C-alpha cells in the first residue's frame, strides 16, 4: 500500500514537471528551428 502511494506520488510529480516544463521545451524547439533555417540559407 505504501509503495503504491510512493509511486503514485512520483508519477504525479513527474507529470506536473513535464506539463510545467512545456513552454521551455517549445521555446528550445523554436530556437533550434530558427538556427537550422539560417544555416540552410547560408
Amino acid at each position: 500500500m505504501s509503495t503504491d502511494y510512493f509511486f503514485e506520488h512520483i508519477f504525479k510529480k513527474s507529470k506536473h514537471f513535464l506539463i510545467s516544463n512545456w513552454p521551455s521545451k517549445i521555446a528550445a524547439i523554436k530556437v533550434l528551428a530558427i538556427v537550422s533555417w539560417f544555416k540552410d540559407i547560408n
Side-chain angles (χ1 to χ4, degrees):
M1 181 70 194
S2 57
T3 52
D4 286 345
Y5 178 76
F6 180 70
F7 282 114
E8 184 79 15
H9 181 70
I10 289 176
F11 179 71
K12 283 181 179 169
K13 271 267 191 197
S14 58
K15 207 168 142 185
H16 173 74
F17 179 73
L18 280 172
I19 290 166
S20 63
N21 220 21
W22 264 114
S24 58
K25 280 182 184 171
I26 292 168
I29 290 168
K30 281 182 182 173
V31 168
L32 282 171
I34 291 167
V35 168
S36 62
W37 186 67
F38 274 114
K39 275 185 179 177
D40 287 346
I41 289 172
N42 296 334

